[in-house]
């Protein structure tokens, strides 16, 4: 079974006026996503999702115009070979670094979908797991900056649906961050796990003020206080309190960058995104490295049901997986455009789809509804 074609479809959705969510990365204007279709000589078609970075057109072009010609003609089940070829040509020499990792991730995910469909096995089974329930937290683009009362109300809605963990956006300013986190803890009581994410905008001074309070309210982690490559700050911040682990990984690419996180010795929760880190092939390798150091893997998950489902399969087959990031964004039509992918249970858990491969029926007629829109997806205050 040979790869005969690789196509990338960039999609966009503009948020309704006044419905933005604000967090450390800025205020959302639109959502972007890239669907990757891989066709084979046996008629089996696989689908994957590549994260668009901040430039969906550029990543789609990289997939179709640069990576596709390198991979067409290869054996479609040779995910390791395809990975190696892209790594050699685009990641390690004269390439596009993170951009190539995003592009490769979507192709790799589609190749795993093909493997599963060809074997008539759901991905979790192919990866060596079983259809087990995975704990989930309410995440995605949600719980942004707002008055503490409405924030607690929004978090309460997710808890009422079944979520036993929620993720608050920090990084507004240390004073408001502290007030909101303390208020949400009081409002939700002790049984809910409160996770926090500063989306890379903290200074060390912010971290020194906020981390002791997060320890007081027993927060589950502080995610991305600093830029992804600011290892010195991560190392320093990890000394502030042993009670709140630092989390990162959604902006780290390939096992080689995760190995650097390990060497920095300051990030205790890893969050690879299968649509960014180099795909499922690389996600498995990253999780294996993490397991040897007793580091839990709590994947970041992006826009569409394809990545959500792939992530659930991956987690069901990973010994050291933690929480699934359930997208509860109020304005993300990509989540359910192929039908709902997961349903939160009263136990706070979700499970992967049961069909072969990723288990998502892709109806391409929906793509016409979301033509790609150029330009930035967020407005940022500097
Ligand atoms: Mg994050």
């Amino acid at each position: 079974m040979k790869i005969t074609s690789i196509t990338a479809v960039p999609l966009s959705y503009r948020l309704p006026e006044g419905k933005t969510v604000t967090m450390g990365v800025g205020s959302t204007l639109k959502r972007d996503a890239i669907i990757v279709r891989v066709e084979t000589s046996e008629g089996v078609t696989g689908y994957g999702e590549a994260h668009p970075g901040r430039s969906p057109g550029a990543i789609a072009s990289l997939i179709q115009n640069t990576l596709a010609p390198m991979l067409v003609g290869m054996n479609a089940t040779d995910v390791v070979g395809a990975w190696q070829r892209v790594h050699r040509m685009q990641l390690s020499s004269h390439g596009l670094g993170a951009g190539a990792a995003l592009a490769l991730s979507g192709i790799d995910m589609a190749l795993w979908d093909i493997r599963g469909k060809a074997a008539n096995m759901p991905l979790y089974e192919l990866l060596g797991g079983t259809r087990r329930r995975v704990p989930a937290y309410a995440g995605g683009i949600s719980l942004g900056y707002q008055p503490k009362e409405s924030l607690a109300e929004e978090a309460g809605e997710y808890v009422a649906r079944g979520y036993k963990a929620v993720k608050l956006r920090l990084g507004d300013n240390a004073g408001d961050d502290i007030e909101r986190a303390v208020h949400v803890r009081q409002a939700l009581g002790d049984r809910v796990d409160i996770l926090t994410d500063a989306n890379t905008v903290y200074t060390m001074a912010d971290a020194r003020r906020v981390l002791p309070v997060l320890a007081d309210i027993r927060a589950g982690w502080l995610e991305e206080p600093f830029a992804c490559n600011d290892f010195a700050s991560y190392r320093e911040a990890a000394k502030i309190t042993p009670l709140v682990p630092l989390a990162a990984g959604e902006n780290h690419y390939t096992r080689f960058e995760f190995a650097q996180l390990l060497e920095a010795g300051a990030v205790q929760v890893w969050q690879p995104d299968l649509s960014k880190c180099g795909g499922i092939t690389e996600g498995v390798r990253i999780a294996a490295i993490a397991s040897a150091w007793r580091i839990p893997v709590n994947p970041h998950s992006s826009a569409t049901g394809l990545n959500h489902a792939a992530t659930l399969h991956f987690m069901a087959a990973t010994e050291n997986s933690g929480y699934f990031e359930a997208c509860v964004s109020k304005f993300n039509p990509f989540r359910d455009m192929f039908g709902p992918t997961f349903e939160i249970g009263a136990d706070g858990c979700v499970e992967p789809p049961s069909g072969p491969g990723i288990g998502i029926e892709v109806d391409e007629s929906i793509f016409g509804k979301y033509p790609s829109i150029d330009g930035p997806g967020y407005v940022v205050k500097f």
Side-chain angles (χ1 to χ4, degrees):
M1 182 168 59
K2 304 284 187 204
I3 299 172
T4 54
S5 81
I6 300 177
T7 316
V9 185
L11 306 174
S12 300
Y13 165 78
R14 197 175 288 288
L15 267 73
E17 197 72 36
K19 297 294 184 190
T20 189
V21 174
T22 303
M23 47 194 206
V25 282
S27 300
T28 349
L29 290 177
K30 66 176 170 110
R31 304 290 306 250
D32 299 307
I34 298 169
I35 306 295
V36 181
R37 182 205 309 121
V38 177
E39 288 169 285
T40 64
S41 55
E42 304 295 303
V44 181
T45 300
Y47 291 94
E49 175 180 344
H51 191 281
R54 295 283 172 101
S55 188
I59 303 300
S61 169
L62 177 57
I63 292 168
Q64 279 191 187
N65 300 320
T66 304
L67 302 192
M70 284 164 45
L71 301 175
V72 165
M74 284 187 79
N75 188 336
T77 56
D78 183 11
V79 289
V80 171
W83 206 99
Q84 231 170 343
R85 193 174 282 197
V86 174
H87 182 251
R88 208 170 113 197
M89 302 302 293
Q90 278 294 313
L91 274 157
S92 58
S93 172
H94 294 74
L96 282 161
L102 302 177
L104 170 60
S105 296
I107 296 171
D108 181 84
M109 195 184 290
L111 291 176
W112 276 96
D113 191 32
I114 289 168
R115 288 169 65 82
K117 285 170 174 166
N120 196 29
M121 268 188 196
L123 187 54
Y124 62 77
E125 202 176 334
L126 199 63
L127 289 169
T130 186
R131 194 166 185 232
R132 70 176 174 88
R133 296 183 68 71
V134 176
Y137 72 84
I141 298 181
S142 63
L143 296 164
Y145 304 163
Q146 57 191 296
K148 62 185 180 185
E149 294 80 11
S150 62
L151 180 65
E153 208 173 296
E154 185 187 340
E157 283 171 33
Y158 305 135
V159 174
R161 274 195 234 165
Y163 288 100
K164 299 193 185 312
V166 298
K167 190 165 84 185
L168 310 182
R169 300 297 174 163
L170 306 184
D172 191 359
N173 61 76
D176 283 335
D177 287 355
I178 288 171
E179 251 188 58
R180 289 176 185 141
V182 169
H183 181 76
V184 171
R185 169 56 80 206
Q186 283 165 354
L188 298 185
D190 282 338
R191 295 294 186 91
V192 176
D193 201 359
I194 295 177
L195 313 169
T196 61
D197 187 352
N199 288 102
T200 75
V201 295
Y202 267 177
T203 60
M204 188 57 67
D206 293 327
R208 284 192 207 290
R209 271 187 74 188
V210 174
L211 270 165
V213 180
L214 296 182
D216 282 347
I217 67 155
R218 296 165 308 286
W221 71 56
L222 172 60
E223 178 174 331
E224 286 199 317
F226 314 112
C228 57
N229 47 12
D230 184 2
F231 298 118
S233 291
Y234 276 93
R235 201 178 301 127
E236 196 58 29
K239 295 180 196 153
I240 298 170
T241 169
L243 300 178
V244 183
L246 301 181
E250 69 178 273
N251 291 305
H252 292 90
Y253 302 95
T254 77
R255 81 200 97 124
F256 302 104
E257 289 191 15
F258 279 87
Q260 288 179 301
L261 276 187
L262 200 57
E263 282 161 3
V267 177
Q268 298 84 18
V269 174
W270 284 9
Q271 303 173 302
D273 182 325
L274 299 180
S275 72
K276 300 179 82 174
C277 72
I280 293 166
T281 303
E282 196 67 352
V284 168
R285 293 163 172 163
I286 290 165
I289 296 172
S291 75
W293 297 83
R294 296 289 176 226
I295 292 171
V297 171
N298 291 257
H300 175 263
S301 70
S302 312
T304 88
L306 280 166
N307 193 34
H308 299 149
T311 302
L312 283 169
H313 287 290
F314 165 76
M315 294 182 77
T318 298
E319 184 189 280
N320 51 324
S321 64
Y323 282 120
F324 170 68
E325 179 175 15
C327 168
V328 295
S329 309
K330 295 202 161 69
F331 296 96
N332 179 14
F334 302 142
R335 177 186 49 225
D336 301 320
M337 68 180 163
F338 310 123
T341 306
F342 59 83
E343 195 187 337
I344 186 77
D347 58 353
C349 296
V350 293
E351 53 187 26
S354 56
I358 294 177
I360 299 286
E361 288 286 340
V362 172
D363 173 1
E364 295 201 15
S365 67
I366 193 108
F367 296 163
K369 267 180 83 175
Y370 304 109
S372 179
I373 304 168
D374 279 333
Y378 293 89
V379 183
V380 187
K381 271 192 308 188
F382 287 104

